[in-house]
Amino acid sequence: MKFIRIILLPIVPIYYIVTWMRNWLYDRGFKSSKSYDLPIICVGNLSTGGTGKTPMIEYLIRLLNEKKSVATLSRGYKRITKGFVLGDEKATADSIGDEPFQFLRKFEKIKVAVDENRQNGIEQLMLLNDKPDLILLDDAYQHRKVRAGFNILLTSFNNLYYKDIVLPTGNLREPRSGAKRADVVVVTKCPKDISTIMKERIASSIKLKPKQQLFFSYIDYAEKVISKYNHLVLNELPKFTLVTGIANAKPLVDFLTNKGLSFDHIEFTDHYSFRLNDIELLSEKELIITTEKDYVRLSSHESLEKTLYYLPIRLKLDNSSNFNNSINTYVN
């Protein structure tokens, strides 16, 4: 734990009380939440990040997109625009945010919208002539002005929420009791060979409510890395530079290390805004591998076009049929 977090420990009870009281006011109806006449699925977490919300949103898009008109609604973190923006052919990572832009470039049929005011964002989507059949709210678990019909709470295997405390010493945005609002809890970034005993131990510690379901997932990494012009077989890569600007790069680093690959790692903070001197530094590298989220921000620089690749990933769920049935039952 960093020293600054230790000295901020006396603030933890204050933060806890404020966030607990806010939830209590919503739970008791003293602060109002708005419901809507179409299915709304919220994907979020209790922690400050790194739980795999983007892979989960993409999983839901693939599950629902063939039969339903799907829209995603995000805050659009670190975008240069304000208010409601609907992604189109002119959109960039700067105008709508890196993760929404990733959705936009990967899935042609969906609508991708951003708005820091989720109520307004939903209402604007519903005013469209071709309004969506359902909305996926990205990172909105604490946005309680909207009452989603189905809440998916993510918690990382290596940083389970019940082992953590609230900010500023811990990483939780709200007390652990906030987990009771979830319909489904998904433990993400698990080892592929996670044991039944470990699952039972986690389930016992989470202490699900009667109507809650628990699932376990892992990240499935592709066998090839992709660039604008080419693709390379992962196992055949020469020494490369790994560039990450995500909340938790450890699973990716561990995966590449266990593959026996040789690389240097340049690590930036989550949603990092790459500066000119960063691009100049990276332009000197012969081969760069990055995440898809970082790729959508870096690929606009011509100097990196021939050396920049990303490693695709997908979320895989244990007992996916039950998870899919729960989602489809709610949506239908």
Side-chain angles (χ1 to χ4, degrees), residues 275-285 301 303-304:
R275 300 186 294 259
L276 180 59
N277 61 321
D278 299 319
I279 303 304
E280 290 175 349
L281 171 66
L282 296 179
S283 299
E284 299 174 358
K285 307 300 180 181
H301 298 279
S303 61
L304 301 178

Side-chain angles (χ1 to χ4, degrees), residues 174-223:
E174 61 173 296
R176 288 172 284 189
S177 58
K180 67 184 179 183
R181 302 196 304 276
D183 296 282
V184 161
V185 178
V186 181
V187 180
T188 61
K189 303 182 180 181
C190 297
K192 284 187 178 182
D193 57 350
I194 182 173
S195 67
T196 300
I197 293 175
M198 178 59 72
K199 290 179 184 179
E200 292 173 349
R201 187 178 302 165
I202 293 172
S204 175
S205 298
I206 286 180
K207 299 177 182 177
L208 296 174
K209 301 298 180 183
K211 293 184 179 181
Q212 290 181 316
Q213 293 178 284
L214 177 64
F215 296 92
F216 297 84
S217 71
Y218 65 90
I219 294 297
D220 186 36
Y221 294 93
E223 296 180 356

Side-chain angles (χ1 to χ4, degrees), residues 105 225-232 295 299-310:
R105 65 189 289 272
V225 292
I226 300 172
S227 74
K228 184 176 181 180
Y229 304 107
N230 193 16
H231 63 264
L232 299 172
Y295 182 85
S299 59
S300 61
H301 298 279
E302 292 185 8
S303 61
L304 301 178
E305 281 187 347
K306 296 181 179 180
T307 58
L308 181 68
Y309 291 74
Y310 70 90

Side-chain angles (χ1 to χ4, degrees), residues 67-103:
K67 296 181 179 179
K68 299 289 184 180
S69 172
V70 176
T72 66
L73 178 60
S74 311
R75 171 185 169 189
Y77 186 62
K78 284 196 173 182
R79 62 188 171 113
I80 60 175
T81 56
K82 296 292 184 182
F84 178 79
V85 179
L86 184 64
D88 57 19
E89 65 278 359
K90 296 180 181 179
T92 65
D94 287 332
S95 67
I96 62 173
D98 50 14
E99 289 159 343
F101 186 61
Q102 180 175 322
F103 302 147

Side-chain angles (χ1 to χ4, degrees), residues 308-328:
L308 181 68
Y309 291 74
Y310 70 90
L311 178 61
I313 63 171
R314 284 199 181 192
L315 179 142
K316 297 288 186 177
L317 274 162
D318 185 27
N319 203 1
S320 59
S321 59
N322 282 357
F323 179 88
N324 295 352
N325 287 338
S326 294
I327 297 298
N328 284 318

Side-chain angles (χ1 to χ4, degrees), residues 16-161:
Y16 181 99
I17 292 170
V18 170
T19 52
W20 182 89
M21 180 59 68
R22 175 179 181 270
N23 280 332
W24 186 86
L25 291 172
Y26 275 109
D27 293 340
R28 298 299 186 276
F30 294 105
K31 293 176 74 70
S32 61
S33 297
K34 189 170 183 179
S35 300
Y36 295 88
D37 293 331
L38 80 169
I40 296 178
I41 300 174
C42 171
V43 175
N45 49 28
L46 296 184
S47 66
T48 52
T51 57
K53 293 184 294 295
T54 299
M56 174 55 76
I57 291 287
E58 292 189 355
Y59 181 97
L60 294 171
I61 292 171
R62 292 187 180 99
L63 174 66
L64 300 167
N65 195 31
E66 290 302 315
K67 296 181 179 179
K68 299 289 184 180
S69 172
V70 176
T72 66
L73 178 60
S74 311
R75 171 185 169 189
Y77 186 62
K78 284 196 173 182
R79 62 188 171 113
I80 60 175
T81 56
K82 296 292 184 182
F84 178 79
V85 179
L86 184 64
D88 57 19
E89 65 278 359
K90 296 180 181 179
T92 65
D94 287 332
S95 67
I96 62 173
D98 50 14
E99 289 159 343
F101 186 61
Q102 180 175 322
F103 302 147
L104 184 67
R105 65 189 289 272
K106 288 182 74 170
F107 303 101
E108 293 182 359
K109 295 181 180 180
I110 72 169
K111 296 175 178 64
V112 176
V114 294
D115 197 330
E116 55 271 28
N117 183 332
R118 302 304 205 289
Q119 282 190 0
N120 183 66
I122 293 170
E123 289 157 8
Q124 292 298 319
L125 284 168
M126 293 178 70
L127 288 173
L128 297 175
N129 291 331
D130 55 341
K131 65 181 182 180
D133 298 323
L134 63 98
I135 297 174
L136 304 177
L137 290 183
D138 181 16
D139 195 16
Y141 198 77
Q142 285 75 38
H143 197 92
R144 300 207 57 189
K145 290 184 179 181
V146 170
R147 183 179 298 155
F150 198 93
N151 284 291
I152 300 174
L153 177 66
L154 308 182
T155 182
S156 174
F157 176 81
N158 289 317
N159 189 23
L160 295 159
Y161 72 81

Side-chain angles (χ1 to χ4, degrees), residues 244-285:
T244 60
I246 56 178
N248 180 15
K250 186 178 185 302
L252 174 57
V253 171
D254 289 346
F255 169 76
L256 295 173
T257 301
N258 291 336
K259 296 282 282 186
L261 297 172
S262 177
F263 60 94
D264 298 317
H265 184 198
I266 301 178
E267 186 172 13
F268 297 93
T269 56
D270 195 20
H271 297 280
Y272 181 77
S273 297
F274 293 96
R275 300 186 294 259
L276 180 59
N277 61 321
D278 299 319
I279 303 304
E280 290 175 349
L281 171 66
L282 296 179
S283 299
E284 299 174 358
K285 307 300 180 181

